[in-house]
Amino acid sequence: MEKRSKTLLVATILATLYVIYLFSHFFGGVSDATSSAEAVGASIATAIVMPHMMMFLIGAAFGWLGVFLRKGWAALVGAILYAVGTVLFMVYAMFGVPILILGFVGYSKQSKINKAE
């Protein structure tokens, strides 16, 4: 992992784990519903959180591109998508803010590594 930002790697791993948690929590709630009212409520909750989930999912994909290809622009796009996802669902800001901060720091470090080459 030489010449790669470890901070970017940590941010991307956290974002990936967070996306896995979100999908399992919200889609699991829909499938585990015992009544139609529970299923409707879980479906509405999932629909409300879906833009947040999609931003973090796409951001994590760009984060992995930034890690493996060592591209600063991909890391920046991922960090911006984390920020947008956090703004779209402020209730989960406590999870999104650390990931987006690490994403921007990782982008900065990756850019410095790329310039030093």
Side-chain angles (χ1 to χ4, degrees):
M1 289 303 289
E2 62 187 59
K3 299 184 181 179
R4 288 184 173 88
S5 170
K6 289 172 183 46
T7 309
L8 178 59
L9 177 65
V10 168
T12 306
I13 289 170
L14 287 175
T16 303
L17 292 173
Y18 181 54
V19 167
I20 291 168
Y21 160 74
L22 285 173
F23 275 86
S24 66
H25 179 72
F26 283 97
F27 288 112
V30 173
S31 64
D32 292 342
T34 57
S35 69
S36 60
E38 284 181 9
V40 169
S43 297
I44 291 171
T46 302
I48 290 171
V49 179
M50 186 59 70
H52 175 77
M53 288 191 280
M54 288 296 108
M55 290 297 109
F56 272 87
L57 177 67
I58 298 167
F62 275 102
W64 285 115
L65 283 175
V67 168
F68 288 120
L69 300 178
R70 297 184 326 214
K71 298 292 185 182
W73 64 265
L76 179 61
V77 170
I80 291 170
L81 288 171
Y82 302 151
V84 171
T86 301
V87 169
L88 286 175
F89 197 63
M90 293 295 288
V91 176
Y92 280 6
M94 62 195 150
F95 302 116
V97 170
I99 295 171
L100 76 90
I101 290 171
L102 287 172
F104 280 112
V105 171
Y107 155 71
S108 174
K109 289 187 176 189
Q110 186 63 53
S111 294
K112 288 179 185 177
I113 291 169
N114 290 346
K115 285 181 184 177
E117 288 183 349

